[in-house]
Amino acid sequence: MASEEASLRALESLMTEFFHNCTTNERKREIEELLNNFAQQIGAWRFCLYFLSSTRNDYVMMYSLTVFENLINKMWLGVPSQDKMEIRSCLPKLLLAHHKTLPYFIRNKLCKVIVDIGRQDWPMFYHDFFTNILQLIQSPVTTPLGLIMLKTTSEELACPREDLSVARKEELRKLLLDQVQTVLGLLTGILESIWDKHSVTAATPPPSPTSGESGDLLSSLLQSPSAAKLLNQPIPILDTESEYICSLALECLAHLFSWIPLSTSITPSLLTTIFHFARFGCDTRVRKMSSVNGSSQNSVLGQERGRLGVLAMSCINELMSKNCVPMEFEEYLLRMFQQTFYLLQKITKENNAHTVKSRLEELDERVLCWGRQAESYIEKFTDFLRLFVSVHLRRIESYSQFPVVEFLALLFKYTFHQPTHEGYFSCLDIWTLFLDYLTSKIKSRLADKEAVLNRYEDALVLLLTEVLNRIQFRYNQAQLEELDDETLDDDQTEWQRYLRQSLEVVAKVMELLPTHAFSTLFPVLQDNLEVYLGLQQFVVTSGTGHRLNITAENDCRRLHCSLRDLSSLLQAVGRLAEYFIGDVFAARFNDALTVVERLVKVTLYGSQIKLYNIETAVPSVLKPDLIDVHAQSLAALQAYAHWLAQFYSEVHRQNPEQFISLVSTALEAITPLISSKVQEKLLLSACHLLVSLATTVRPVFLISIPAVQKVFNRITDTSAQRLPDKAQVLVCRALSNVLLLPWPNLPESEQQWAVRSTNHASLISALTREYRQLKSNAILPQRKVQLEDTKAIIHQTLSVLEDIVESISGESTKSRQICYQSLQESVQVSLALFPAFIHQSDVTDEMLSFFLTLFQGLRVQMGVPFTEQIIQTFLNMFTREQLAESILHEGSTGCRVVEKFLKILQVVVQEPGQVFKPFLPSVISLCMEQVYPIIAERSSPDVKAELFELLFRVLHHNWRYFFKSSVLASVQRGVAEEQMENEAQFSAIMQAFGQSFLQPDIHLFKQNLFYLETLNTKQKLYHKKIFRTTMLFQFVNVLLQVLVHKSHDLLQEEIGIATYNMASVDFDGFYSAFLPEFLASCDGVDSNQKNVLGRNFKMDRDLPSFTQNVHRLVNDLRYYRLCNDSLPPGTVKL
């Protein structure tokens, strides 16, 4: 090697060249190769040591440290012990000499390299590693450096990566735990001494009136005047160095708390100190001081102080997130909550200088300005409140000295003064957690229900009122107008999310306090309805139609706000429908009746004066508003369908006039909207309501209402313009259900099936007229335009028929019989058309969807001969060539076709009884000889999941096709083995499952592992002789290899359990034969290491110990391979 000086100069120029923006990628690759080769040389570290002490070039220093990092983490085993000693002594000296002048990222990297050595060598070869860190912390000059080393040690040693053996990981954790008490004591001392040193006690002027904050709540929270007095001391003013040390100490604590168990080493004095620092985040006077002094230096200080508050809250949240609280720690927890709620009171306290909201805004933004820390104090505080309610409330509520109701009052203030929408959402989540807790508490202690509710009633009513106000433009226009109602994120806009989350809170309060909630909501709805219903007087007739005569800008704006609010309140009323039915129907009948009557009136009013078609002064705003209110009123009425059904069953015998009137009026509101001229949003709302009346309510008189007959005529009239697809499907479903579904409350003899059957047949006949005519000319070649028309007819008809079948698939046999009779001809036409369109994958896709729905819903009604004919047709059509064309050349549609065909076969093979058993051989042969070879080698997951589900169903539902269990065999258990049939097919299926575990697709792996485990649970798969003797250990081997390669790490637990279930069939074989063979076949480890791996695998036979052994084996095997790869070539191992 060249001299050290010359090498350094060469390296500096190489580094400068590498990072120069004119250097080509080609040249960069050359330089990279050169640097890698240099790093691989034995002894390169000596040069790097020289480089580190002699250069000021950041790139060179970073490169040199990377060489050391690589040496320590990958090649340390092969480094001579003399060299190791030299490195262990030189690097810390280098750090001590230069830590003040090095750039922070180089200093931190050097710390990490030294900690990496400790990870390998402490305490055996590097006994003073930890003592050195403690000494650094204790010496004032090097305290910051010591804290950085401590935090790095906590990060790297407490939860080390996998490049250590399990035994070493356990040893390190134990060594660290032994040091915890000392370390926490040191950190407490540092924080306390800095606080005390800077505390302004004697010379403090008397506090201003606004700063005397020990209110009545505080004394009830803290139980002792002295604690309150302590927390009311003014916050000290720290110099920059002290700020920096405190922030490092708090960062150390936050990381330590993430892994050390809660115990008495976390002392009350440490907790109190952390809370002192948490006050830095919520004290706005700190900020004022820095702005008074004016310089930018001071404003940076203000941000640093805010950061101390954030870091202290991080420490508190780490402790809060632990669910397992030892008895002796509970008292500390209580003290923590008391102190945090003192902070909450401080944050939400109103005084002349600040509104609560402006204070929260200040606390929310303060730390966002600071480069490295992107979290605000408010976010941290909200996290704390969420952890408190979700993890600890049940524990703390029982303490008489903890004032939960007062806490809720503070939380209320905090929630409704949040400066951002995200902050508000987070707080609503906390309320939702609280309401869930309350609901489950009441359900488990019904006797105390009244007492619990009385305690919280006022808080809940306040919450409800405020949440309702927040969704209304009338009270909250400025904020609501900021919400985006156009961009979809997770299928909802920002406005929809806001409304939905708010309404969930309203609904949860309704569940707890129904009467209060209703009496709060209904009057507000009523007010907005008055405005809407009063619009009629402003409607004037103009030349082109009707116009809304409201033109003044201010009136239009007020109307816009009122309509938006009405739309939100209608959604709220709909959301509450579930709380009026079931056991409480009679008790809350009058409230519900009032709501439904209003809704029916509003929907009819909207349809009669056609507000959706009216001209307005601001069409881009008011027209969508009017359409939305109309659509929401229909949707809200639809939500009460179950209530109407219950109403019908209560009154159908006595005086049903009121019920008949409600339903008839609702239908009068619906029918004018079922037209292709009506906006789709409104049309679909009307269709959904019609479906609910026909499906859920099912009144016997529906068919005789003129409005419904009108819809029948419109749908069956071929000259009328067809509705958009979605609407057409919904209306046809509703009409079909009117005729097919049994009427509630009537005996079979009064169901009038004969008439209804005739009517249904003519309805279907009218809907499928064009489709049935395709049969005659489908076989002829078609021109392109004609083909598109044909495809459109097929699509329109099949989407309607498929939906009709799906909607009655769970109904009574009679309904399904009538449905199939009406559909029979169309089904036969579909089967006849199928071969003609086998090469049009989009058509085949729709046809197979239809057949799949038929098989799922009407296979009994279709009868055996016809079902056989369908399956046979499909089996004949899906030849090997056709399958290959679909899967390989037609992209996703082709794959979907094959998947649907396999789904149909899944339904067939699950059918009990002997009817479809003759198809099993051809189904298995289709799977294994035709589909499987095409997809086995493809990396794409298409078709695989469906194929393996079909194979699983074949085994699961047809076990006796493979294993004939005779009575005798089961009587003489253990004497006679079950007879095996179709062994070759069984083996082929199992082999396919085994192969699937070697592929990267994690979803398929998880699914197939689940299938094998299910077959074992239900049919004792792993115990069968053929599996036990020829496959068992092959599967175990594959699963272990998967764990070693870490290719499916997310499934570690499932793989461990499956390995245990397989091994437990023959533990003796596993320990005496399989494990030694497995280890013998492992490459990359020597025989001594194999012996250690074998010895460490204890012969446990219980699940937890066994899986722990498996994971230990896997970890250590990977570790040994890593070590062996790092040894220099030619190393002799004894």
Side-chain angles (χ1 to χ4, degrees):
M1 282 193 189
S3 77
E4 291 174 340
E5 174 68 26
S7 295
L8 176 55
R9 296 294 155 255
L11 182 58
E12 284 176 345
S13 74
L14 275 177
M15 283 299 190
T16 313
E17 183 186 355
F18 185 86
F19 286 104
H20 195 279
N21 51 13
C22 297
T23 310
T24 64
N25 287 343
E26 187 83 6
R27 176 64 181 144
K28 284 187 176 183
R29 270 196 295 276
E30 283 173 21
I31 295 174
E32 210 171 337
E33 201 173 325
L34 198 64
L35 295 174
N36 286 340
N37 291 341
F38 179 82
Q40 294 305 319
Q41 296 178 101
I42 297 170
W45 65 270
R46 287 189 187 282
F47 280 81
C48 291
L49 204 54
Y50 170 74
F51 299 159
L52 281 170
S53 51
S54 313
T55 186
R56 295 267 75 56
N57 182 315
D58 293 351
Y59 298 135
V60 171
M61 286 195 263
M62 211 59 179
Y63 168 73
S64 304
L65 288 171
T66 311
V67 172
F68 271 112
E69 197 173 34
N70 191 46
L71 178 79
I72 293 157
N73 289 329
K74 296 193 178 158
M75 300 153 74
W76 199 238
L77 259 183
V79 177
S81 54
Q82 196 57 44
D83 290 6
K84 286 183 186 176
M85 274 169 63
E86 203 176 324
I87 293 170
R88 282 195 297 263
S89 96
C90 291
L91 289 180
K93 280 179 190 159
L94 193 72
L95 179 65
L96 264 180
H98 298 291
H99 71 97
K100 289 245 162 87
T101 53
L102 287 173
Y104 75 90
F105 54 93
I106 303 280
R107 178 204 60 205
N108 291 358
K109 180 85 166 176
L110 181 49
C111 289
K112 165 148 182 335
V113 167
I114 294 170
V115 168
D116 282 343
I117 300 177
R119 206 165 60 112
Q120 303 277 359
D121 291 357
W122 174 59
M124 180 72 81
F125 303 110
Y126 191 178
H127 56 87
D128 53 358
F129 166 69
F130 207 85
T131 343
N132 288 350
I133 295 177
L134 298 178
Q135 282 168 357
L136 288 175
I137 295 174
Q138 284 163 306
S139 157
V141 193
T142 55
T143 301
L145 183 61
L147 292 171
I148 291 166
M149 286 290 289
L150 177 63
K151 180 170 175 246
T152 313
T153 303
S154 177
E155 289 166 349
E156 298 295 324
L157 272 61
C159 316
R161 294 184 302 278
E162 58 165 29
D163 49 359
L164 291 178
S165 68
V166 171
R168 177 65 178 154
K169 287 178 183 177
E170 288 167 357
E171 181 189 18
L172 280 174
R173 180 165 276 247
K174 191 173 172 304
L175 287 166
L176 282 177
L177 280 170
D178 290 345
Q179 301 289 340
V180 162
Q181 205 156 356
T182 315
V183 166
L184 292 181
L186 266 181
L187 293 172
T188 311
I190 289 173
L191 291 169
E192 276 181 351
S193 65
I194 291 181
W195 183 278
D196 294 342
K197 180 179 159 193
H198 294 81
S199 273
V200 216
T201 43
T204 314
S208 66
T210 56
S211 67
E213 292 177 7
S214 52
D216 51 345
L217 172 59
L218 182 56
S219 45
S220 72
L221 276 174
L222 290 174
Q223 298 298 303
S224 71
S226 61
K229 185 163 177 269
L230 197 65
L231 277 171
N232 258 322
Q233 287 177 359
I235 285 189
I237 295 156
L238 307 182
D239 56 82
T240 319
E241 178 71 2
S242 303
E243 295 259 5
Y244 180 51
I245 290 175
C246 291
S247 70
L248 288 173
L250 289 167
E251 279 180 8
C252 280
L253 281 171
H255 197 274
L256 288 165
F257 288 164
S258 71
W259 62 268
I260 62 177
L262 292 180
S263 69
T264 43
S265 25
I266 302 171
T267 60
S269 63
L270 172 57
L271 293 177
T272 307
T273 306
I274 294 172
F275 275 99
H276 279 319
F277 282 93
R279 285 173 55 204
F280 274 107
C282 65
D283 201 304
T284 45
R285 281 172 298 180
V286 172
R287 190 177 180 93
K288 278 192 210 127
M289 282 197 42
S290 60
S291 54
V292 168
N293 297 340
S295 75
S296 62
Q297 177 67 31
N298 280 322
S299 68
V300 171
L301 276 178
Q303 289 159 21
E304 270 288 7
R305 286 188 192 117
R307 184 161 182 264
L308 287 180
V310 171
L311 290 170
M313 283 310 295
S314 296
C315 294
I316 294 165
N317 288 351
E318 280 295 350
L319 293 174
M320 293 289 305
S321 60
K322 297 178 191 294
N323 202 349
C324 174
V325 180
M327 280 297 289
E328 67 273 16
F329 200 77
E330 285 208 355
E331 196 185 327
Y332 291 4
L333 257 186
L334 183 62
R335 187 176 291 137
M336 279 174 67
F337 297 137
Q338 290 169 337
Q339 292 178 320
T340 318
F341 295 129
Y342 159 73
L343 296 178
L344 179 57
Q345 191 203 13
K346 208 170 160 54
I347 291 176
T348 53
K349 187 169 181 63
E350 305 204 23
N351 60 31
N352 313 336
H354 266 74
T355 64
V356 178
K357 186 159 187 179
S358 69
R359 183 189 290 114
L360 289 183
E361 266 170 8
E362 219 164 273
L363 302 181
D364 200 30
E365 71 191 20
R366 166 167 319 139
V367 189
L368 290 170
C369 332
W370 209 83
R372 279 179 296 173
Q373 188 74 26
E375 279 176 301
S376 76
Y377 191 71
I378 292 298
E379 286 172 327
K380 286 286 179 196
F381 212 92
T382 306
D383 284 348
F384 166 79
L385 293 169
R386 191 182 62 255
L387 288 166
F388 172 68
V389 172
S390 59
V391 183
H392 301 286
L393 183 63
R394 59 190 164 72
R395 188 179 278 122
I396 291 298
E397 199 198 11
S398 54
Y399 281 90
S400 54
Q401 66 264 48
F402 189 80
V404 181
V405 177
E406 286 88 338
F407 157 63
L408 291 178
L410 291 178
L411 177 60
F412 180 85
K413 244 172 154 180
Y414 182 80
T415 302
F416 294 107
H417 286 103
Q418 281 296 314
T420 64
H421 294 307
E422 281 306 321
Y424 179 62
F425 285 151
S426 302
C427 290
L428 283 188
D429 283 343
I430 297 173
W431 282 104
T432 307
L433 289 167
F434 173 70
L435 293 166
D436 287 343
Y437 162 73
L438 216 51
T439 311
S440 64
K441 180 177 175 174
I442 285 170
K443 280 180 183 156
S444 64
R445 292 181 15 202
L446 283 173
D448 308 342
K449 179 177 179 177
E450 289 312 310
V452 173
L453 281 177
N454 288 340
R455 185 178 185 191
Y456 295 118
E457 186 178 302
D458 294 347
L460 296 182
V461 173
L462 257 178
L463 172 70
L464 173 72
T465 313
E466 194 54 43
V467 169
L468 280 175
N469 288 348
R470 285 303 170 104
I471 62 172
Q472 293 177 69
F473 280 77
R474 181 179 179 178
Y475 301 105
N476 193 23
Q477 185 172 354
Q479 265 199 305
L480 294 179
E481 281 181 340
E482 288 172 16
L483 292 168
D484 171 9
D485 196 17
E486 293 186 354
T487 321
L488 282 176
D489 178 19
D490 273 351
D491 288 338
Q492 55 181 356
T493 65
E494 193 181 19
W495 158 254
Q496 287 167 338
R497 180 184 166 205
Y498 183 90
L499 189 60
R500 190 165 298 160
Q501 275 193 272
S502 303
L503 293 186
E504 282 313 300
V505 174
V506 172
K508 286 177 189 297
V509 177
M510 174 83 184
E511 190 176 355
L512 291 161
L513 298 172
T515 352
H516 284 84
F518 185 73
S519 56
T520 308
L521 174 63
F522 195 68
V524 191
L525 174 71
Q526 207 44 359
D527 290 350
N528 286 285
L529 278 177
E530 294 309 321
V531 176
Y532 178 62
L533 295 170
L535 290 177
Q536 192 161 6
Q537 60 196 347
F538 297 103
V539 175
V540 294
T541 310
S542 65
T544 50
H546 296 288
R547 189 162 56 77
L548 191 62
N549 196 15
I550 297 177
T551 50
E553 188 183 341
N554 203 29
D555 292 345
C556 287
R557 187 175 288 123
R558 279 170 51 209
L559 177 59
H560 166 65
C561 290
S562 176
L563 291 172
R564 287 292 299 264
D565 289 349
L566 178 55
S567 170
S568 304
L569 293 162
L570 284 165
Q571 288 179 61
V573 165
R575 177 65 188 82
L576 303 183
E578 64 182 280
Y579 303 114
F580 292 105
I581 53 175
D583 301 342
V584 295
F585 177 80
R588 297 186 198 155
F589 175 78
N590 289 331
D591 284 345
L593 182 61
T594 317
V595 172
V596 174
E597 284 177 339
R598 295 302 282 166
L599 291 174
V600 166
K601 179 180 177 183
V602 173
T603 50
L604 181 63
Y605 161 83
S607 297
Q608 280 178 340
I609 67 166
K610 293 191 166 59
L611 283 173
Y612 52 90
N613 270 345
I614 220 152
E615 290 177 27
T616 62
V618 204
S620 64
V621 177
L622 292 179
K623 190 160 185 178
D625 287 345
L626 289 163
I627 290 170
D628 192 46
V629 165
H630 200 160
Q632 294 298 354
S633 63
L634 291 159
L637 185 53
Q638 186 201 351
Y640 284 84
H642 288 282
W643 181 84
L644 281 167
Q646 200 168 349
F647 185 17
Y648 184 36
S649 65
E650 305 279 330
V651 299
H652 74 105
R653 284 287 181 225
Q654 320 74 289
N655 42 353
E657 292 73 23
Q658 197 176 24
F659 172 77
I660 293 171
S661 151
L662 284 174
V663 173
S664 311
T665 318
L667 284 161
E668 277 175 53
I670 294 170
T671 31
L673 301 174
I674 294 182
S675 149
S676 47
K677 296 187 179 68
V678 172
Q679 293 85 352
E680 190 161 5
K681 181 177 192 174
L682 189 50
L683 167 62
L684 289 176
S685 283
C687 295
H688 280 295
L689 176 54
L690 182 62
V691 168
S692 289
L693 290 173
T695 311
T696 309
V697 188
R698 309 185 188 182
V700 66
F701 54 82
L702 210 52
I703 188 82
S704 52
I705 295 179
V708 177
Q709 290 173 347
K710 217 164 151 186
V711 179
F712 264 103
N713 297 336
R714 192 202 172 301
I715 284 293
T716 51
D717 176 4
T718 41
S719 61
Q721 195 181 353
R722 188 186 152 90
L723 296 171
D725 276 359
K726 269 185 185 170
Q728 181 83 9
V729 166
L730 288 169
V731 174
C732 293
R733 183 200 305 172
L735 298 179
S736 168
N737 284 354
V738 167
L739 297 167
L740 285 181
L741 299 181
W743 292 320
N745 322 313
L746 285 181
E748 191 67 15
S749 56
E750 293 175 36
Q751 292 286 352
Q752 301 177 19
W753 287 125
V755 182
R756 293 166 77 184
S757 175
T758 312
N759 288 338
H760 193 265
S762 53
L763 169 69
I764 298 294
S765 170
L767 292 175
T768 58
R769 190 172 294 118
E770 286 184 282
Y771 181 67
R772 286 177 291 114
Q773 287 163 359
L774 293 176
K775 186 176 179 180
S776 50
N777 54 9
I779 316 305
L780 308 171
Q782 296 188 327
R783 292 199 308 280
K784 192 162 187 194
V785 180
Q786 199 182 355
L787 180 64
E788 289 311 311
D789 290 349
T790 306
K791 281 185 175 183
I793 294 171
I794 292 174
H795 165 70
Q796 289 166 356
T797 312
L798 289 183
S799 57
V800 167
L801 296 184
E802 186 181 334
D803 184 81
I804 286 175
V805 175
E806 205 169 319
S807 72
I808 59 106
S809 59
E811 295 297 332
S812 66
T813 309
K814 190 68 187 170
S815 302
R816 299 213 299 265
Q817 272 171 355
I818 296 173
C819 184
Y820 183 64
Q821 279 161 13
S822 309
L823 283 174
Q824 199 163 1
E825 190 184 343
S826 301
V827 176
Q828 285 167 340
V829 168
S830 304
L831 191 60
L833 291 175
F834 187 78
F837 289 96
I838 188 73
H839 299 294
Q840 305 282 335
S841 55
D842 49 347
V843 179
T844 327
D845 186 23
E846 290 188 317
M847 288 194 165
L848 285 173
S849 275
F850 174 53
F851 277 109
L852 176 59
T853 311
L854 279 173
F855 270 85
Q856 285 166 336
L858 301 177
R859 62 182 174 281
V860 177
Q861 286 68 32
M862 281 164 32
V864 176
F866 185 51
T867 312
E868 286 180 347
Q869 188 190 336
I870 296 174
I871 298 169
Q872 203 50 62
T873 306
F874 289 167
L875 287 170
N876 296 343
M877 293 310 300
F878 282 106
T879 57
R880 175 89 184 247
E881 295 68 36
Q882 181 56 44
L883 288 163
E885 181 189 330
S886 293
I887 295 172
L888 302 176
H889 306 300
E890 290 177 6
S892 58
T893 326
C895 288
R896 267 207 315 277
V897 166
V898 178
E899 285 172 354
K900 280 182 186 154
F901 172 45
L902 295 175
K903 274 195 165 112
I904 290 174
L905 294 178
Q906 285 168 23
V907 177
V908 171
V909 300
Q910 283 179 75
E911 193 62 28
Q914 291 304 307
V915 181
F916 296 125
K917 295 299 178 231
F919 282 112
L920 271 179
S922 45
V923 168
I924 297 172
S925 110
L926 172 97
C927 290
M928 299 313 302
E929 291 159 30
Q930 298 186 29
V931 182
Y932 182 66
I934 299 171
I935 63 164
E937 295 309 315
R938 294 184 80 215
S939 58
S940 154
D942 296 333
V943 185
K944 289 181 183 170
E946 298 303 341
L947 175 70
F948 280 104
E949 186 176 344
L950 174 54
L951 291 174
F952 165 65
R953 304 265 168 227
V954 164
L955 291 165
H956 189 35
H957 297 277
N958 304 278
W959 194 247
R960 295 190 56 190
Y961 176 76
F962 302 102
F963 297 97
K964 281 266 188 278
S965 67
S966 63
V967 180
L968 183 66
S970 53
V971 172
Q972 308 171 316
R973 264 185 99 179
V975 181
E977 266 294 340
E978 283 177 318
Q979 287 172 286
M980 175 95 203
E981 294 193 354
N982 303 301
E983 189 174 323
Q985 289 182 322
F986 179 81
S987 297
I989 293 173
M990 283 296 122
Q991 192 157 4
F993 271 95
Q995 283 294 321
S996 74
F997 293 141
L998 299 173
Q999 294 178 346
D1001 183 352
I1002 193 162
H1003 299 292
L1004 186 69
F1005 190 105
K1006 184 177 184 177
Q1007 169 193 294
N1008 287 358
L1009 195 59
F1010 170 74
Y1011 288 158
L1012 287 185
E1013 290 282 271
T1014 308
L1015 289 171
N1016 185 49
T1017 312
K1018 298 276 168 47
Q1019 268 106 1
K1020 293 271 180 277
L1021 167 68
Y1022 305 157
H1023 297 258
K1024 297 293 174 217
K1025 185 180 179 184
I1026 181 171
F1027 192 92
R1028 210 174 57 238
T1029 53
T1030 62
M1031 305 172 192
L1032 182 70
F1033 290 132
Q1034 284 180 12
F1035 272 100
V1036 176
N1037 187 26
V1038 167
L1039 293 179
L1040 285 179
Q1041 295 293 357
V1042 165
L1043 286 173
V1044 171
H1045 289 119
K1046 287 181 87 70
S1047 52
H1048 297 71
D1049 246 15
L1050 289 172
L1051 302 176
Q1052 269 186 358
E1053 196 178 334
E1054 291 89 333
I1055 296 173
I1057 293 169
T1059 309
Y1060 172 78
N1061 289 336
M1062 290 181 189
S1064 64
V1065 171
D1066 180 9
F1067 268 136
D1068 295 339
F1070 176 81
Y1071 286 118
S1072 62
F1074 171 76
L1075 197 57
E1077 273 175 38
F1078 175 78
L1079 290 170
S1081 68
C1082 285
D1083 48 8
V1085 281
D1086 61 34
S1087 54
N1088 182 32
Q1089 290 166 332
K1090 288 176 183 176
N1091 290 338
V1092 174
L1093 290 171
R1095 273 202 310 277
N1096 284 344
F1097 203 115
K1098 304 284 181 286
M1099 292 201 185
D1100 297 311
R1101 299 195 171 205
D1102 61 293
L1103 174 66
S1105 310
F1106 184 88
T1107 48
Q1108 204 175 350
N1109 286 330
V1110 165
H1111 294 309
R1112 183 185 195 113
L1113 169 75
V1114 167
N1115 181 92
D1116 290 358
L1117 176 57
R1118 290 178 61 82
Y1119 167 66
Y1120 286 146
R1121 281 178 176 172
L1122 196 82
C1123 293
N1124 296 343
D1125 288 346
S1126 71
L1127 290 169
T1131 306
V1132 178
K1133 286 180 287 184
L1134 300 172

